[in-house]
Amino acid sequence: MIRFDLKLLEDEGNNPADSEAISKSNAVAQHACNHLKKLIGKKKCRKHPSSPNKIRMFAILGGDPKAELVSYCCPAFVKLIR
C-alpha cells in the first residue's frame, strides 16, 4: 500500500486575492492527491507487501501540485508505479 502525505498552503488572511489563490491551489492539490490514491493507492510490492511506501504531495501557489516519492522498498516498486 502507498501512504499519501498532502502538504497544503496555509492562509494567513492578509490579502483576499492571496486567500483565493491559496484556496484554489489547495483544492487542486487535494483533487490530484485523491486522483493518485484511486490510481495507485492500492498497489503493493510483490517482494515487500508490508513495506511503508510513501508519496508526499505539495500544493504550489498558482501552479500544479508537486509529488515526491519519500520512501519505497525497492527499485522494482518504483517501476511498478511509474
Side-chain angles (χ1 to χ4, degrees), residues 9-54:
L9 299 171
E10 293 184 19
D11 185 10
E12 297 174 7
N14 295 339
N15 188 349
D18 286 345
S19 296
E20 184 177 328
I22 287 172
S23 64
K24 185 175 181 180
S25 296
N26 285 343
V28 169
Q30 184 69 48
H31 178 72
C33 186
N34 290 339
H35 185 68
L36 270 180
K37 281 181 186 178
K38 287 180 185 176
L39 288 176
I40 61 172
K42 300 281 186 194
K43 293 201 181 227
K44 293 181 182 179
C45 180
R46 291 183 189 112
K47 297 177 187 174
H48 314 100
S50 63
S51 177
N53 301 302
K54 187 175 184 180

